[in-house]
Amino acid sequence: MVQRSKITTLTEFIIQRQSEYPHAKGALTRLLNDIATAAKIVNREINAAGLVDILGTAGRENVQGETQKKLDVFANETFITALKGGGECCAIASEENERVINFSNEFSSLGKYVVAMDPLDGSSNIESNVSIGTIFSIYRRVSEAGGGTQEDLLQAGLNLTAAGYVIYGSSTMLVFTTGKGVNGFTLDPSVGIFCLSHPDMRFPEEGKIYSINEGNYIYFPQGVKRYIKYCQENDPETFRPYTSRYIGSLVADFHRNLIRGGIFLYPGTTKQPQGKLRLLYECAPIAFIAEQAGGKASDGHKRIMEIEPETLHQRSPLFTGPRAMVDKLESFMKQCGNK
Ligand code: AHG
Ligand code: MN
Ligand code: MN
């Protein structure tokens, strides 16, 4: 009988780590499991996307004015249902909903946590079968009781209890942090269990990849233009010229750069001074993971985790990757001012 090496499931891992959280009574464990359950359901639909009527647009726009894809709507509804039913979360902020969804039913209004989420990230890539993802942030509520409120969600990244993403790629992975490092779990579809496959994930010290949509070059700040040229200079001692890799799904670009070492850049432009990515459910959770993996995440001048959100869907420039790479980008931004 071939002995399968001992696998650690997501539930076993959290329970093993539970001892590190004496105050926790299992609520965060149950909440993470609710997210994992929803991820498995979304994963099933994505894998069948080419075969069933789940592709294409849902025929309406979301609060961002972006055309919603059927899978955006399906993923959003799946995560909301799982979180509402789980009882650990009393409110949700979603990319797909203009306002906070608060759960005032008896069961969930007692939930200690709130969740901000991008239920499906990289939607524009669905039809081309490119990896997409889900991004989530978990905060402890600050309001006393009753269904959660907007103030529960408008918290800086420094207050995050946990953050993670699911990447629906060649394999489906759940990667998350609760503030004690980053761990990656790969879904074994034959039994529907997330198994620990990437313990203690960390950026390589130095990276050789830069990821940015260079189609927007003419709209970039001078500091970003200078940094792109720096990446393209010939200097073998510092592994330059770097390799350019950009797929257009934040989760997929970030995950590749975390594994192989690279910087992801989504700057503000003259067209969109605050950039495209949303602070609450894209930049802040990714920043928490990046910092916990020994990297850095900045808006070009300050730490993403320190930005106090004022509105649910506010945007922020995002530069994230190994510390040395983000430091270099920030030095160019400083030299060139805000031009
Ligand atoms: P979403 O599908 O949730 O709207 O996110 C798409 C985002 C992000 O995933 C990606 O990094 C970025 O859009 C790509 O934008 P460009 O196509 O402008 O490069
Ligand atoms: Mn997104
Ligand atoms: Mn999205």
Side-chain angles (χ1 to χ4, degrees):
M1 159 84 157
V2 175
Q3 277 295 332
R4 273 189 78 152
S5 59
K6 169 84 182 78
I7 59 166
T8 301
T9 67
L10 173 64
T11 305
E12 285 168 344
F13 177 85
I14 302 173
I15 289 169
Q16 281 165 15
R17 290 292 178 95
Q18 197 80 55
S19 56
E20 295 170 16
Y21 306 104
H23 62 280
K25 302 278 181 291
L28 183 59
T29 303
R30 291 190 293 273
L31 178 52
L32 285 166
N33 271 305
D34 293 340
I35 290 173
T37 301
K40 291 180 216 173
I41 296 168
V42 171
N43 178 61
R44 185 193 60 207
E45 288 305 297
I46 287 173
N47 287 343
L51 304 172
V52 297
D53 178 29
I54 193 76
L55 289 176
T57 68
R60 56 183 194 240
E61 287 190 341
N62 64 11
V63 62
Q64 332 275 342
E66 293 158 346
T67 305
Q68 278 185 319
K69 304 276 187 175
K70 286 179 189 161
L71 265 176
D72 277 323
V73 175
F74 177 82
N76 195 42
E77 289 168 357
T78 301
F79 278 95
I80 292 170
T81 303
L83 291 170
K84 185 171 186 175
E88 306 306 339
C89 165
C90 63
I92 294 178
S94 167
E95 175 193 357
E96 303 305 331
N97 296 78
E98 182 165 5
R99 292 185 180 76
V100 167
I101 303 156
N102 51 36
F103 301 141
S104 46
N105 65 67
E106 178 62 28
F107 183 49
S108 302
S109 62
L110 300 175
K112 288 204 291 271
Y113 296 104
V114 293
V115 171
M117 68 175 183
D118 177 357
L120 204 65
D121 172 70
S123 311
S124 60
N125 280 321
I126 292 172
E127 274 77 13
S128 40
N129 209 6
V130 164
S131 299
I132 49 184
T134 296
I135 310 171
F136 61 89
S137 290
I138 299 174
Y139 290 98
R140 290 180 75 81
R141 70 184 300 171
V142 292
S143 59
E144 291 306 313
T149 63
Q150 184 158 287
E151 66 166 332
D152 289 319
L153 270 305
L154 293 180
Q155 298 189 52
L158 288 174
N159 295 354
L160 277 166
T161 295
Y165 59 81
V166 183
I167 178 166
Y168 309 100
S170 45
S171 62
T172 295
M173 279 189 69
L174 169 63
V175 176
F176 74 92
T177 181
T178 57
K180 294 179 183 262
V182 178
N183 291 281
F185 297 78
T186 298
L187 180 65
D188 177 342
S190 65
V191 289
I193 295 176
F194 279 105
C195 305
L196 181 63
S197 54
H198 295 64
D200 197 20
M201 297 175 81
R202 294 185 68 78
F203 279 108
E205 279 307 306
E206 271 297 340
K208 303 172 192 158
I209 295 171
Y210 73 104
S211 305
I212 188 168
N213 182 343
E214 294 194 51
N216 294 321
Y217 184 85
I218 56 173
Y219 307 116
F220 289 153
Q222 200 51 36
V224 171
K225 291 181 178 174
R226 288 278 311 281
Y227 182 73
I228 292 173
K229 293 306 166 203
Y230 168 83
C231 293
Q232 296 168 346
E233 286 166 358
N234 184 26
D235 178 13
E237 270 186 27
T238 55
F239 314 110
R240 290 180 291 145
Y242 294 151
T243 295
S244 172
R245 286 284 183 275
Y246 189 78
I247 202 163
S249 290
L250 168 60
V251 171
D253 280 317
F254 178 81
H255 186 72
R256 177 202 53 243
N257 290 358
L258 173 57
I259 302 271
R260 294 181 47 200
I263 182 170
F264 174 88
L265 308 94
Y266 207 105
T269 64
T270 46
K271 290 190 300 181
Q272 273 190 314
Q274 287 309 307
K276 172 183 183 182
L277 301 178
R278 278 61 51 123
L279 173 64
L280 212 53
Y281 40 80
E282 289 174 314
C283 302
I286 291 294
F288 191 21
I289 295 164
E291 292 195 0
Q292 285 292 313
K296 185 169 181 180
S298 143
D299 68 357
H301 307 285
K302 62 181 175 303
R303 224 176 138 198
I304 291 286
M305 297 280 283
E306 292 174 355
I307 302 176
E308 291 285 348
E310 288 159 20
T311 58
L312 289 182
H313 303 289
Q314 77 183 61
R315 299 172 193 266
S316 168
L318 176 64
F319 305 97
T320 184
R323 297 193 68 80
M325 297 183 91
V326 180
D327 287 345
K328 176 59 81 175
L329 174 277
E330 287 184 331
S331 68
F332 283 117
M333 294 291 277
K334 194 167 182 173
Q335 274 174 37
C336 298
N338 269 329
K339 310 194 285 297

